[in-house]
Amino acid sequence: KQEVTQIPAALSVPEGENLVLNCSFTDSAIYNLQWFRQDPGKGLTSLLLIQSSQREQTSGRLNASLDKSSGRSTLYIAASQPGDSATYLCAVRPPGFKTIFGAGTRLFVKA
Amino acid sequence: SQTIHQWPATLVQPVGSPLSLECTVEGTSNPNLYWYRQAAGRGLQLLFYSVGIGQISSEVPQNLSASRPQDRQFILSSKKLLLSDSGFYLCAWSVQSLRNTEAFFGQGTRLTVV
C-alpha cells in the first residue's frame, strides 16, 4: 500500500532564506509526483509535476527533484518570501486512477 | 483553457439534513473526476472517483454517495448528514487518456454539520 510522508509538518523561516521540503513514498511504482500549494481555506494549486522518467522540474524560484528508486522528492524554494506562506502538499500517482497525498508541510515565512 | 467550478464555497447544515455539492469542469472532455475530503490538519482522503458518465468508484465506506449525470459534472450527496461529515471537500479532475497527467483542483467547500 502506497504511503506518502512529508517532513517537516511545519516550518517557520525568515524572509530570504532558501529552504527544502521533503516528501517520501513507500512504493517506487509511480507514474508521476506532483507538488501543490494550498492557502488556508482554499483549494490546491499545482506547482510542479515530475513524471516518473524525470529527475527534476523547475518553475521560477521552485525546484522539485525526484529519486524514484529511493522513494524521495524534495521541493526547494529559493529566496523565500512572506507570500510563500502556505501548506505544501506532495502527491504521487501510482498505477490506476488515484492520487495519494501526504499530510503537507505548513510553511510560514516571516517578514 | 480548462477550469473547474465547485460550489457552494461554504455550507452549514444541521445533522440529518441532505447534502448536495456540485462540481463542473469546462474546457475538456471525458475527464477523470474525483471527490476528496480534507480533515483539519490532515491529508486528503479520496472518497470517490469516476472515469465516465454513471461510473462511480467508492474508496471508503461512508455516509456519502456520488453521481456523474453528465460528462463534466460530478455531484457529492448525502441523504442524512452526520457530525463526522464536517470537513473541507475538494473536487478534482485529470485527463483520462494519459498516465502522466496532472490533477487540478477546485476551490473547495467548507462543510460544517451542526
Side-chain angles (χ1 to χ4, degrees):
Chain A
K1 179 185 174 184
Q2 178 72 267
E3 293 182 358
V4 180
T5 303
Q6 289 187 248
I7 295 172
L11 182 63
S12 181
V13 300
E15 182 178 6
E17 190 164 299
N18 302 325
L19 58 100
V20 175
L21 307 181
N22 296 292
C23 171
S24 61
F25 47 96
T26 55
D27 190 339
S28 61
I30 62 171
Y31 288 152
N32 62 50
L33 183 144
Q34 199 167 352
W35 282 94
F36 294 88
R37 169 185 173 138
Q38 185 177 29
D39 293 292
K42 302 293 185 181
L44 277 65
T45 300
S46 178
L47 297 174
L48 291 164
L49 172 73
I50 310 177
Q51 299 182 4
S52 60
S53 59
Q54 298 175 322
R55 298 285 290 182
E56 66 177 345
Q57 283 286 338
T58 298
S59 176
R61 293 183 294 108
L62 304 179
N63 176 275
S65 68
L66 174 63
D67 184 343
K68 208 171 67 162
S69 61
S70 67
R72 294 180 183 177
S73 175
T74 61
L75 178 66
Y76 175 82
I77 302 177
S80 58
Q81 303 171 357
D84 295 331
S85 299
T87 296
Y88 291 81
L89 293 158
C90 166
V92 298
R93 177 89 180 270
F97 298 104
K98 307 179 209 179
T99 299
I100 310 299
F101 284 82
T105 293
R106 196 166 59 253
L107 173 65
F108 179 63
V109 181
K110 297 171 287 187
Chain B
S1 63
Q2 301 88 2
T3 56
I4 179 169
H5 302 280
Q6 191 180 337
W7 68 92
T10 60
L11 192 60
V12 180
Q13 292 283 99
V15 169
S17 64
L19 172 73
S20 181
L21 303 181
E22 189 161 344
C23 172
T24 59
V25 180
E26 297 178 357
T28 188
S29 296
N30 199 27
N32 286 341
L33 295 172
Y34 308 83
W35 277 112
Y36 288 86
R37 177 168 58 201
Q38 186 177 36
R42 299 176 64 180
L44 275 71
Q45 178 187 36
L46 179 64
L47 302 175
F48 301 95
Y49 68 91
S50 171
V51 300
I53 296 174
Q55 299 179 61
I56 309 295
S57 295
S58 174
E59 287 300 297
V60 294
Q62 58 201 311
N63 185 42
L64 303 168
S65 62
S67 62
R68 184 171 178 174
Q70 300 180 40
D71 180 45
R72 290 168 289 177
Q73 183 184 30
F74 206 23
I75 298 173
L76 183 69
S77 304
S78 173
K79 292 182 179 178
K80 290 185 178 182
L81 284 169
L82 305 173
L83 287 173
S84 58
D85 291 324
S86 294
F88 192 55
Y89 289 84
L90 288 157
C91 179
W93 75 273
S94 67
V95 174
Q96 184 174 142
S97 61
L98 300 174
R99 298 181 304 178
N100 292 324
T101 57
E102 289 181 82
F104 299 94
F105 283 78
Q107 286 301 299
T109 296
R110 170 74 58 194
L111 171 66
T112 305
V113 182
V114 296

